[in-house]
Amino acid sequence: MSFKQIDKNIAGDCYTSTEAMDNLTIMCDEFGSRFGGTPGEKQAADFMKQKLESYGLTNVRLEPFEYTGWIRGSAKLEIIEPIQKAIPCISLPHSPPANFTAELYDAGDGAPSIFADDADSMKGKVVLADSQTYPAGSKRWVHRNEKYGRSMLNGAEAFLFMNHYPAYGPATGGIGHNGKGGIIPGISVSYEDGSFLQRLLKRHGKVVLKVVTTDENKPMTSWNVVGDIVGDGLSDQVVMLGSHYDGHDISQGAQDPASGAVSVLETARLLASHAGKLPCTVRFALWGVEEIGLIGSYIFADKHAADMPNYRFYFNMDGAGSVKNKGVNLNEWPEIESLVKDWAQDIAFDFKTNQSVHAHSDHYPFLLKGVPTGGLESVPKSTGGRGYGHTAYDTLDKVSLRELQDAAYLASLVALRVASVPAADWKATHRTPAEVEELLAMPDYTEVAEFEKMIDAHYTKLGL
Ligand SMILES: [Zn+2]
């Protein structure tokens, strides 16, 4: 069958089915946040396994793994000086429990420069930084965990995250390093309460805070869900599509990640129903506990390291159903850009391509193994930040069926083509470890790479 005919069959099925939204409704309204350690997490994993089996995939399995999980306790933040007032707050996942009194330091939008220029003033203080993703003077996304890490490296007592969006309450997000818990406490407040603290500090020159939290880091089990559409047997090459399924515990995580997880399921359904036997195996993965350190995907890439040379491409679909301007972002693989651009001409879906690298989702463990990677992301890249993502307001009502269909349609057509290209025409060859290091030393990425090295050294020094 020609691509054109398969595309038509996929489009007809995709745009006349409510399956993706039905699945999203169950994932969010029945299983809740699916955060690591909640009952809904395992229910979601079992549900997705059963769905993949019902779509006709083979070798469908749960791959369990052990990790350091986190249980939210109570969190109390009080202003002690110059006034007395309690401020609502939440802990950031992987925060250790806390009980301390310390002065507030205001690091504003948390640009790396302020941590370099004013390091000494942060020692022993609670360092406040807001959730701006592109702080003043920065051309790249500066992640919350980087602001947390730079506070820690400067000797801060704790990190105080402030939402930079009004009216969404406090934003959450994991802290720590490579799945290891945070070392200093991390707590989070709303835009309004953060602004209040900033005004108070500005007017009085000194604000003293008392923080008591009772969170717990402890060993847990999670599950990656994996299933295959087996190839025609002539090639041992694998094309993989994946999204994490765990959301944050304060939210349904409907956009991030569930709109991506159900788009992966829907892509599996469409390809299994209409693509026939493809030269490559197409493997689908739903990752556990991404939100507290990409843990499921790191463990998978390590456990299956010997197979990684067979992985032709990993396509990440984190939150894909809610991505605006859906396109294909390649993680610096110019060798295949023209191929993918040709597909954009060929299929009736107007998408654009981009080349960029970031470390904040499940493609990254594969990228570090040298596997060609990319993702269904906004092209051009959105610099707008998370909005109500990572807050209590990332709920089902924000997602539309049409957006889920678009994600699954685009991913199906791209996966169909990646899995069908003759080996000689697939120009993206795996990077060697030295080439991976070289990539991460490119001018755009050096600042992050250097920061990661410092954090590594800090954890090593502490024997962690
Ligand atoms: Zn996500």
Side-chain angles (χ1 to χ4, degrees), residues 341-363:
K341 279 204 161 113
D342 286 349
W343 295 341
Q345 296 302 311
D346 184 35
I347 70 177
F349 190 103
D350 187 16
F351 75 90
K352 294 191 168 51
T353 60
N354 186 33
Q355 301 274 2
S356 74
V357 170
H358 67 86
H360 309 310
S361 193
D362 296 301
H363 61 285

Side-chain angles (χ1 to χ4, degrees), residues 93-96 148 152 175-177 180-185 217 459 464:
H94 263 165
S95 175
Y148 168 83
M152 177 172 71
I175 51 173
H177 180 56
K180 293 169 201 157
I183 293 169
I184 62 169
N217 285 300
Y459 271 73
L464 295 166

